[in-house]
Amino acid sequence: MQTNAFPTQDISDNATGCCPRFKPEGWDNQHLHFENKKFLRATTRSAMHIPWNMGRVFTRVQEHIEDDAAAHPAKEIVLSRDTSPWEAEHYFAVEKDVADEEMTTLSGDFITRVFEGPYRKAKDFAHDMEVAATATGKTAKRVFFFYTTCPKCAKAYGENYMVGVAEV
């Protein structure tokens, strides 16, 4: 895997007009390496891990990313993780800085696993990511998820894929 790269996504298969159909090939058991990989960081509020303002925050961020032409459609990835039962953070992969948003970078090594199932199993999947990191002889520092489709598109496609991304 190249530095600062994610596996490719085919955005042409988009029957819903919203989220493209996720194809898990090439995403499972990958090793990623980032060196100052640029991300836009945003937070959302939650109530016992159930998002409250995700739609509003994601809409704002996407508008700013589009206004600044800061992302390539085939490379748009959002890594999310709950920081508490009341808040989550989201890292939007971008090509350049975005005005009026918090910019950050990620550096280090990461492993991936593909999961399919309901969002409520994310806690179990996070545990599986920690076990996968241990199996490589490392410890998971942070576990993120790339939620490949929104809930409406997951229902339309009949599959709800999530990619676990653990910093090791």
Side-chain angles (χ1 to χ4, degrees), residues 7-144:
T8 58
Q9 292 190 87
D10 176 9
I11 60 171
S12 66
D13 184 0
N14 191 340
T16 63
C18 181
C19 303
R21 184 184 309 272
F22 179 74
K23 296 180 176 84
E25 298 79 23
W27 282 87
D28 200 29
N29 296 311
Q30 294 297 309
H31 295 269
L32 309 176
H33 180 71
F34 299 150
E35 289 181 18
N36 296 313
K37 170 81 174 134
K38 193 173 291 271
F39 286 89
L40 180 159
R41 182 182 174 276
T43 59
T44 55
R45 294 205 168 123
S46 306
M48 297 305 294
H49 301 284
I50 298 171
W52 276 4
N53 63 341
M54 184 175 275
R56 186 170 64 244
V57 170
F58 274 49
T59 298
R60 182 201 77 225
V61 167
Q62 281 302 131
E63 286 174 357
H64 288 166
I65 289 172
E66 289 171 15
D67 289 347
D68 288 356
H72 184 284
K75 298 179 182 178
E76 286 188 286
I77 305 289
V78 181
L79 300 178
S80 300
R81 74 182 191 110
D82 287 348
T83 56
S84 77
W86 316 109
E87 185 177 73
E89 63 180 354
H90 311 279
Y91 291 79
F92 295 75
V94 292
E95 305 289 317
K96 63 182 186 177
D97 287 354
V98 177
D100 302 319
E101 294 291 349
E102 177 187 344
M103 301 305 302
T104 191
T105 61
L106 292 178
S107 294
D109 294 312
F110 298 78
I111 60 170
T112 69
R113 297 291 184 274
V114 175
F115 301 98
E116 201 284 325
Y119 295 112
R120 70 179 177 273
K121 292 196 69 165
K123 183 178 179 182
D124 296 333
F125 299 153
H127 174 73
D128 291 348
M129 290 303 299
E130 292 170 359
V131 170
T134 302
T136 67
K138 303 196 176 188
T139 301
K141 298 173 188 170
R142 295 184 286 183
V143 176
F144 300 92

